[in-house]
Amino acid sequence: MMEGFLNRKNFLNTLKNVNIWDIIIIGGGSTGLGIALDSSSRGYKTLLLEQSDFSKGTSSRSTKLVHGGIRYLAQGNIKLVYEALQERGFLFKNAPHLVKKQKFIIPIFNWRLGILYWMGLKIYEWMSGSLSFGKSKFLSKKEVINNFPEIENKKLKGGILYYDGQFDDSRLAINLAQTCVKKGGILLNYFQVKNLIKKIGNKISGVVAYDIETKKEYSIYSKTVINATGVFSDSILKMDESKCPIFIKPSQGTHIVLNKSFFSSTNAIVIPKTTDGRILFCVPWYNHVLIGTTDTFIKRSVLEPKPLEEEIDFILQTFRKYFISNPKKTDILSAFSGLRPLFVEHSSSIKTKDISRSHKLIISSSGLISIIGGKWTTYRKMAEDAVNQAIKVGNLIKIPSFTKNIKIYGSNYPYERKNTFWEKYGEDEFHIKKLIEENPLLSAPLISNSNSNNNYYCTEAEVVWMVRYEMARTIEDVLARRFRLLFLNARKAIDIAPRVAELMAKELSRDEKWKKTQIASFKELAMRYYYSIF
């Protein structure tokens, strides 16, 4: 097996042969995967357990931006913005196959606000220092219209161009897992933590975990346990019976995806202040346009949140206000929501947009370490802080973090950025193409009328690859997080699910019943994304 490939059978064998781990991480989103990489790269015996698939929750449902956060700058959260801009630079350097510099334009309809935006963006640019993505500049009304032919321009004065980052969130999550494995870490998806093991003195010494796939339970011992379960952190804290004075207030962010005919530009646009004070992004993504996000408090955290009617209405109404095109609900190709684990000291009537996105570390009396809040861009710094704390709690040998300079799996791309469909795979492009050489039938496209220059291209070889070497276990794993098809066009995802099931069943040695169950389950899920049926 090649270095860095994900192989569940091998990981289970390792699990059985390790008596005590240095660090166990619960949760396989951006935070948990970042911690696993930081820990394993320092040489600690590291195990990550995820109850579903890697990045199944919030970490696959972002706005696909690697950014400092111009909104947080307006709130005066200088520390978070500075930290995020530094981390943006590190991520661009370490994952160039996934992180791209993206042009953003803020349209100006009021010169007074325009001057404020200009000053803020110059500060934003200055704060990034040597890691700057490019210089911001004023654009004339004509230049803005040239960039966005569909913009409503009656009251348009001009615009400001600035640079930020864009990425594929769940693809980066897989690459982080692969990098962790190269450093000696072990990661298991579909592995649910059922309880915490405690020794004399009420100190945590491990976890009881259940392998959902094999239906086997394990008692796994460790010097430290880190709770990186995001919006589900409370469930792990309840296992600990902790009385830590924390309060996780989940906020839902919804996005819609439209055909690029509604937004033809290759540049992104930012509406800095909507009717309720939120920012709205329109971002080109895989030959489509991604529009969002909302920020709505919800009462309960769920693994598969559903967009609210009022969120969809808000996004469409705001888009129509600024663009000539008039998309309807039936034009939505996919609509999805993610939950943010916002940290507040106590329950209050505070608005979601006013809650800090900075991360918090909570240390329980039992030694359980919980990390809450934060965002994708700062995942590396969050991980470094969490492992530093684990060293103290677990009395581990102190070793510094190296992740600022660790290249993410896939970045060993021996030629210039090509901006093609294959680039997101980095070096794995060659391995997948080798599968096709060995079996030319695997070159068959899953979507008709596709071609190799289209960012919307899926081959049968990739499905085989994802099962063999990326630990995809379900149709959803493939079509939602490894391909991004469920998030781009739910109808097309439903259409190709049967063929994906056939390919996966062969690789995983599954029977006809498994295929039928998988197809039915995926169709039921995809209907929640296919908004135009409502």
Side-chain angles (χ1 to χ4, degrees):
M1 187 182 75
M2 286 181 268
E3 191 179 41
F5 289 176
L6 306 181
N7 185 300
R8 203 170 192 277
K9 184 179 178 181
N10 288 355
F11 295 164
L12 284 171
N13 287 334
T14 302
L15 176 65
K16 294 168 187 174
N17 293 322
V18 175
N19 292 325
I20 183 165
W21 299 85
D22 291 320
I23 297 176
I24 289 176
I25 301 113
I26 309 171
S30 59
T31 306
L33 290 166
I35 294 168
L37 173 56
D38 188 287
S39 173
S40 58
S41 65
R42 298 197 206 195
Y44 302 125
K45 284 188 286 187
T46 304
L47 173 67
L48 180 145
L49 303 174
E50 162 57 44
Q51 68 171 340
S52 185
D53 185 30
F54 305 119
S55 79
K56 157 69 177 177
T58 308
S59 297
S60 62
R61 303 159 188 270
S62 73
T63 315
K64 323 306 174 194
L65 302 181
V66 180
H67 62 145
I70 55 174
R71 176 171 75 173
Y72 312 135
L73 186 62
Q75 293 171 353
N77 197 336
I78 303 298
K79 181 178 181 294
L80 174 61
V81 176
Y82 177 77
E83 183 179 88
L85 287 170
Q86 298 300 301
E87 294 300 322
R88 181 190 70 173
F90 298 142
L91 196 45
F92 180 73
K93 177 184 70 173
N94 292 326
H97 62 301
L98 288 178
V99 180
K100 316 292 180 188
K101 290 181 181 179
Q102 174 68 51
K103 290 180 181 178
F104 288 77
I105 294 174
I106 298 179
I108 297 172
F109 298 92
N110 176 300
W111 279 120
R112 185 182 63 81
L113 287 176
I115 296 299
L116 289 175
Y117 297 152
W118 172 255
M119 292 170 61
L121 287 169
K122 278 299 175 185
I123 294 171
Y124 191 72
E125 179 187 318
W126 171 75
M127 287 174 69
S128 61
S130 62
L131 297 172
S132 171
F133 274 25
K135 289 187 176 296
S136 53
K137 65 175 184 176
F138 266 118
L139 299 179
S140 68
K141 178 178 179 178
K142 184 179 179 181
E143 287 175 313
V144 175
I145 294 170
N146 287 340
N147 275 282
F148 304 114
E150 300 88 2
I151 197 168
E152 176 58 65
N153 60 56
K154 288 179 182 177
K155 296 181 180 179
L156 183 68
K157 308 295 184 187
I160 304 173
L161 168 71
Y162 76 98
Y163 293 82
D164 239 323
Q166 185 182 29
F167 77 134
D168 183 327
D169 46 16
S170 64
R171 175 51 50 185
L172 177 58
I174 293 298
N175 285 170
L176 286 175
Q178 292 166 315
T179 315
C180 176
V181 171
K182 285 184 73 172
K183 299 297 180 182
I186 298 297
L187 306 96
L188 287 162
N189 55 1
Y190 296 97
F191 226 91
Q192 186 177 22
V193 171
K194 292 284 192 180
N195 216 332
L196 302 173
I197 301 171
K198 294 187 177 181
K199 58 185 178 183
I200 298 171
N202 201 41
K203 296 295 182 182
I204 290 177
S205 60
V207 301
V208 175
Y210 177 72
D211 185 346
I212 294 169
E213 192 166 294
T214 65
K215 296 179 171 52
K216 184 175 179 181
E217 191 168 276
Y218 294 80
S219 292
I220 311 169
Y221 296 90
S222 174
K223 295 174 185 176
T224 54
V225 174
I226 300 177
N227 172 18
T229 55
V231 291
F232 301 104
S233 295
D234 279 344
S235 63
I236 304 299
L237 285 161
K238 284 176 184 175
M239 293 178 192
D240 185 38
E241 297 180 350
S242 171
K243 295 180 180 179
C244 288
I246 69 163
F247 191 85
I248 297 169
K249 208 167 180 65
S251 161
Q252 178 162 295
T254 290
H255 299 81
I256 65 170
V257 175
L258 299 175
N259 186 284
K260 69 175 183 178
S261 61
F262 291 100
F263 185 91
S264 58
S265 180
T266 57
N267 298 331
I269 198 166
V270 183
I271 307 302
K273 196 167 186 180
T274 58
T275 52
D276 66 352
R278 292 179 288 202
I279 285 180
L280 194 80
F281 291 96
C282 300
V283 184
W285 189 54
Y286 287 130
N287 225 24
H288 293 69
V289 58
L290 178 72
I291 308 170
T293 177
T294 58
D295 215 350
T296 310
F297 277 140
I298 60 166
K299 293 179 181 178
R300 188 170 62 91
S301 296
V302 293
L303 199 55
E304 191 61 59
K306 185 177 180 181
L308 302 173
E309 193 80 27
E310 54 265 35
E311 291 180 301
I312 299 295
D313 290 339
F314 168 78
I315 293 172
L316 286 174
Q317 287 166 10
T318 305
F319 185 85
R320 292 173 191 144
K321 182 179 177 182
Y322 291 94
F323 292 91
I324 299 168
S325 52
N326 185 30
K328 301 175 179 62
K329 288 180 180 177
T330 50
D331 294 311
I332 297 173
L333 300 176
S334 184
F336 61 92
S337 296
L339 303 183
R340 306 176 187 91
L342 302 182
F343 175 90
V344 291
E345 297 290 346
H346 51 80
S347 179
S348 69
S349 60
I350 191 171
K351 293 181 179 179
T352 60
K353 67 184 181 68
D354 296 323
I355 299 177
S356 173
R357 266 52 173 182
S358 298
H359 62 278
K360 306 289 182 184
L361 277 167
I362 308 295
I363 316 301
S364 302
S365 58
S366 64
L368 176 68
I369 301 168
S370 296
I371 183 164
I372 300 165
K375 57 185 197 143
W376 244 119
T377 307
T378 57
Y379 86 92
R380 191 211 63 81
K381 181 64 167 63
M382 294 165 65
E384 182 180 332
D385 290 349
V387 175
N388 285 344
Q389 194 62 56
I391 291 169
K392 297 175 185 175
V393 172
N395 292 317
L396 305 177
I397 296 171
K398 190 173 182 180
I399 302 168
S401 175
F402 305 104
T403 50
K404 282 183 183 178
N405 299 306
I406 289 178
K407 294 290 186 181
I408 304 300
Y409 184 96
S411 63
N412 187 26
Y413 217 37
Y415 39 82
E416 291 298 313
R417 296 164 185 266
K418 300 183 299 182
N419 196 28
T420 66
F421 156 78
W422 289 103
E423 189 175 9
K424 66 178 176 288
Y425 288 111
E427 63 217 57
D428 281 345
E429 171 187 344
F430 307 107
H431 301 310
I432 297 170
K433 287 182 175 178
K434 189 174 180 182
L435 286 180
I436 294 173
E437 286 177 17
E438 294 168 354
N439 182 359
L441 293 176
L442 292 178
S443 65
L446 289 165
I447 301 170
S448 59
N449 300 320
S450 294
N451 60 72
S452 58
N453 294 318
N454 192 331
N455 283 339
Y456 199 50
Y457 182 65
C458 312
T459 63
E460 294 189 358
E462 292 162 81
V463 178
V464 172
W465 175 266
M466 291 163 181
V467 175
R468 287 184 189 176
Y469 304 118
E470 293 185 354
M471 253 158 76
R473 317 304 290 177
T474 69
I475 295 176
E476 183 195 342
D477 295 348
V478 169
L479 292 180
R481 287 172 292 281
R482 286 158 184 78
F483 288 139
R484 302 314 308 272
L485 191 55
L486 179 60
F487 288 83
L488 291 167
N489 191 317
R491 179 74 261 173
K492 285 186 181 292
I494 291 170
D495 290 345
I496 70 171
R499 181 54 184 155
V500 172
E502 286 181 24
L503 292 164
M504 295 188 73
K506 185 177 179 182
E507 287 297 314
L508 294 169
S509 301
R510 302 289 194 250
D511 58 16
E512 196 66 29
K513 182 182 178 183
W514 181 88
K515 284 196 289 185
K516 288 180 179 178
T517 302
Q518 275 289 305
I519 293 168
S521 176
F522 180 75
K523 184 175 181 179
E524 182 182 352
L525 169 71
M527 285 299 190
R528 298 166 67 95
Y529 290 68
Y530 188 40
Y531 197 82
S532 61
I533 68 167
F534 299 154

